[in-house]
Amino acid sequence: MPKQSFLKGTIILTTAGLITRLLGFINRIMMARLMGEEGIGLYNMALPTLFLMYTLSQVGLPIAISKRVAEANAYQDRKKIKTILVVSLTITGSLSILFICLMIFLSPYIANHLLTDNRTLYPLLAITPMVPISAISAVLRGYFQGLQNMKPQSYAQIIEQVIRIGCITFFVNLLIPYGVEYAAAGAMFSVIVGEFVSLVFMFSYFKTSKKIKVRRQFFSTLKASKTTIQSLLSIAIPSTGSRLISSLSNFLEPILVAQSLAIAGFSTVMATKQYGILTGYAIPLLFFPTFITHALAIALIPNISEAEAKQQHRTVHYRINQAIRISFASGAIASVVLFLFAEPILMYMYNDTQASYLIQFMSPFFLFVYLQFPLNATLQALDFAKVAMWNTLLATILKYAILVVLTIQPTLGIFGTVIALSASAIFTTLLHYTSLKKLINFQLAFRDLFKMLLLVLLTYITGKVLMAWFPFYQDNLWLLVILITVMIGLYLIYIFALKIITLKEVRPLIRKR
């Protein structure tokens, strides 16, 4: 099975992530235009419950699988890799069945009492079959990541989005006459179909490329796997803690926002619309660059795990620094572009600019979110998952304290939630960085920090100058595209001129191609 270098694996995942995000935006634009703010709000209120079930059924195993498979593969221990797969499939399969039953049983209570909108019941029930599909997919992704082969999951992501687009068009159009709640359920069912097709693809790839036979002596392998279970759970449980906190946070967020807005005097329909504006329009745009930082994080875990297993400490520090530089470079341009052009971008995408002030406020703070991914991945790869968990917990407590206090203010409303999300992004990133500094003496050089700030300043000035030169960009889509393209071109020049990314790092990739 082909193994890729850190940067090559990152580029494969980044390319797939870019295609997936662009297809994802097509999905969101279609849903927004078909279902409106209310439908998007119902859809996004139900999603966190699914993510919580994901986390509980997977118990942090994808990261543990990636790390342990990478370590075993470093010594060509195929027997160990087989045991890891057998144990992981057994655990996730068993938990999936349990949580499907729980989800069916609890959905009416969650919809009627916690989310304060009984229409969310339909999308909650529609998404239930997704739990086992996602659990098996997660095990296969962890396996391929551990072997540092990023192609299967990259292809699977693209296939999933393409299938989802076709299904959303069909199911939402079919069900929208019956009400937005049924349309939201149709959108959820489209997610299931896309995920199932991508799982079939990954399973086929696994069967044709594997060097181990999982089904042979499955139960005897499981019985003799006590050590493997312990080694997986030593990473999985703290990772689960961290992901569980994040998933519980996402699960509680629409509940607390809905309840807080109700206290502030907003009606149920208005609260759902406001949450839809934030999570359906603003957040997806702000999270767009994370396909790069997420790719870096995925590639970083097996790479650092292998380096640590071989006691290559200098490589570990270099990879962290490299990931931070690339993450910042990928996020800075997005933050500046969204800060300057939020309104026309929203108008051309959704024909709605209500989220523009939210995006403009949050975009500078999301630079911290982009840096979070590689820092968190490094803590996981170095067996400091427990530290990452506590950092996430502290940041979540802060977020909800601010959210409740501010969102209940009638003059702030949903903007109180935005302030809370921004504060949480800063706090989490600083905690992760401080932890790495304390644990492995990692330190970002002041010179690199200065270069990063200078990059943002130069990009912002460039954008303002171009806006002054082309004042009619708001009324002309192609002029806006040209203006942003010129900005990105100059931005790439700044990156290499400031040596945030160097030609030495890029040259080997060009040669390989």
Side-chain angles (χ1 to χ4, degrees):
M1 186 177 291
K3 171 182 173 181
Q4 294 102 32
S5 66
F6 169 65
L7 278 181
K8 189 173 182 182
T10 300
I11 286 174
I12 290 170
L13 288 171
T14 299
T15 304
L18 174 59
I19 296 169
T20 302
R21 287 295 167 94
L22 291 173
L23 291 172
F25 269 114
I26 294 172
N27 270 324
R28 289 188 182 93
I29 291 168
M30 287 166 56
M31 285 195 295
R33 290 180 181 271
L34 288 169
M35 299 192 298
E37 296 157 4
E38 200 172 349
I40 291 291
L42 290 172
Y43 178 85
N44 285 322
M45 279 183 165
L47 271 184
T49 304
L50 171 67
F51 295 149
L52 177 60
M53 294 299 114
Y54 277 176
T55 302
L56 292 171
S57 63
Q58 294 171 18
V59 290
L61 281 172
I63 291 171
I65 295 165
S66 176
K67 178 171 170 56
R68 295 306 183 208
V69 167
E71 291 170 350
N73 194 50
Y75 298 101
Q76 296 296 306
D77 191 347
R78 289 183 185 145
K79 184 179 178 182
K80 182 76 171 176
I81 294 174
K82 175 182 176 178
T83 308
I84 291 167
L85 279 173
V86 168
V87 169
S88 303
L89 287 168
T90 303
I91 293 172
T92 54
S94 303
L95 289 174
S96 294
I97 295 169
L98 171 65
F99 288 113
I100 281 179
C101 298
L102 275 175
M103 202 162 169
I104 292 171
F105 179 73
L106 293 174
S107 288
Y109 178 80
I110 293 169
N112 292 320
H113 299 285
L114 298 182
L115 294 175
T116 71
D117 194 328
N118 57 12
R119 294 174 300 171
T120 55
L121 175 63
Y122 300 99
L124 282 171
L125 291 174
I127 205 68
T128 302
M130 185 81 167
V131 176
I133 297 171
S134 175
I136 298 169
S137 295
V139 172
L140 292 176
R141 280 198 305 271
Y143 166 75
F144 287 124
Q145 288 165 18
L147 296 178
Q148 297 182 51
N149 180 13
M150 306 304 172
K151 289 182 179 179
Q153 74 177 80
S154 300
Y155 298 147
Q157 286 174 8
I158 296 169
I159 290 168
E160 178 193 343
Q161 286 291 342
V162 171
I163 297 296
R164 194 188 295 185
I165 287 173
C167 289
I168 281 177
T169 305
F170 176 75
F171 287 114
V172 173
N173 275 313
L174 180 69
L175 296 171
I176 192 68
Y178 301 98
V180 289
E181 62 270 36
Y182 291 100
M188 286 292 191
F189 187 73
S190 303
V191 175
I192 295 173
V193 177
E195 184 80 15
F196 179 74
V197 174
S198 76
L199 171 60
V200 171
F201 168 79
M202 275 205 295
F203 185 72
S204 302
Y205 195 102
F206 173 76
K207 284 189 71 176
T208 56
S209 62
K210 69 181 179 180
K211 296 179 181 178
I212 53 175
K213 296 187 182 295
V214 175
R215 285 182 296 177
R216 185 178 293 175
Q217 299 177 326
F218 185 93
F219 291 106
S220 60
T221 303
L222 187 61
K223 287 178 183 177
S225 61
K226 185 178 179 181
T227 305
T228 302
I229 293 172
Q230 290 173 344
S231 69
L232 283 170
L233 292 182
S234 68
I235 301 171
I237 290 175
S239 295
T240 302
S242 186
R243 289 194 64 191
L244 184 59
I245 292 164
S246 180
S247 295
L248 279 170
S249 169
N250 291 332
F251 172 72
L252 289 170
E253 186 178 296
I255 296 169
L256 289 176
V257 171
Q259 299 285 359
S260 298
L261 288 173
I263 293 169
F266 292 89
S267 67
T268 299
V269 171
M270 183 55 68
T272 302
K273 284 184 176 181
Q274 289 230 328
Y275 193 70
I277 290 168
L278 174 62
T279 59
Y281 299 161
I283 295 296
L285 277 171
L286 290 163
F287 265 99
F288 180 77
T290 59
F291 71 87
I292 299 176
T293 55
H294 182 64
L296 279 165
I298 291 172
L300 203 59
I301 290 174
N303 196 276
I304 286 183
S305 298
E306 185 177 320
E308 186 68 13
K310 294 177 179 179
Q311 300 295 305
Q312 297 170 346
H313 302 301
R314 183 174 292 182
T315 301
V316 171
H317 281 251
Y318 175 74
R319 287 289 178 236
I320 301 169
N321 185 278
Q322 189 179 39
I324 287 173
R325 287 187 283 110
I326 297 173
S327 293
F328 188 89
S330 65
I333 182 63
S335 290
V336 175
V337 166
L338 289 173
F339 182 82
L340 293 174
F341 306 108
E343 193 165 319
I345 288 172
L346 284 168
M347 177 55 71
Y348 286 120
M349 287 184 67
Y350 301 112
N351 199 30
D352 190 322
T353 62
Q354 290 183 76
S356 60
Y357 76 104
L358 302 179
I359 290 174
Q360 287 177 322
F361 180 84
M362 294 178 76
S363 55
F365 299 108
F366 256 67
L367 281 169
F368 290 90
V369 173
Y370 307 140
L371 295 178
Q372 238 176 74
F373 285 81
L375 294 175
N376 183 67
T378 301
L379 288 169
Q380 306 277 3
L382 295 174
D383 276 342
F384 296 127
K386 192 179 289 185
V387 175
M389 178 189 76
W390 286 112
N391 290 347
T392 306
L393 178 61
L394 288 171
T396 302
I397 292 170
L398 174 72
K399 177 173 77 172
Y400 284 132
I402 297 172
L403 188 151
V404 172
V405 169
L406 296 183
T407 308
I408 61 174
Q409 306 298 323
T411 53
L412 287 175
I414 200 68
F415 196 72
T417 304
V418 167
I419 295 170
L421 293 173
S422 303
S424 175
I426 297 169
F427 194 49
T428 308
T429 303
L430 292 179
L431 283 174
H432 286 340
Y433 175 76
T434 305
S435 298
L436 282 173
K437 185 176 179 181
K438 181 180 177 182
L439 293 166
I440 63 168
N441 200 30
F442 173 77
Q443 190 162 352
L444 183 66
F446 177 78
R447 182 179 59 182
D448 289 337
L449 182 61
F450 175 75
K451 287 179 181 180
M452 290 176 182
L453 294 174
L454 182 59
L455 175 68
V456 173
L457 180 62
L458 286 172
T459 309
Y460 175 77
I461 292 170
T462 300
K464 293 295 284 185
V465 169
L466 289 171
M467 289 168 72
W469 286 353
F470 303 99
F472 305 110
Y473 66 89
Q474 293 196 30
D475 304 317
N476 189 313
L477 174 60
W478 291 111
L479 188 58
L480 176 66
V481 171
I482 291 168
L483 196 154
I484 293 174
T485 303
V486 172
M487 266 189 74
I488 292 171
L490 293 170
Y491 180 78
L492 291 172
I493 294 171
Y494 300 154
I495 285 174
F496 286 104
L498 293 169
K499 295 185 178 178
I500 291 173
I501 298 174
T502 64
L503 290 172
K504 184 180 177 181
E505 291 171 318
V506 176
R507 201 172 288 122
L509 298 171
I510 298 171
R511 285 174 186 166
K512 285 181 182 180
R513 291 185 178 183

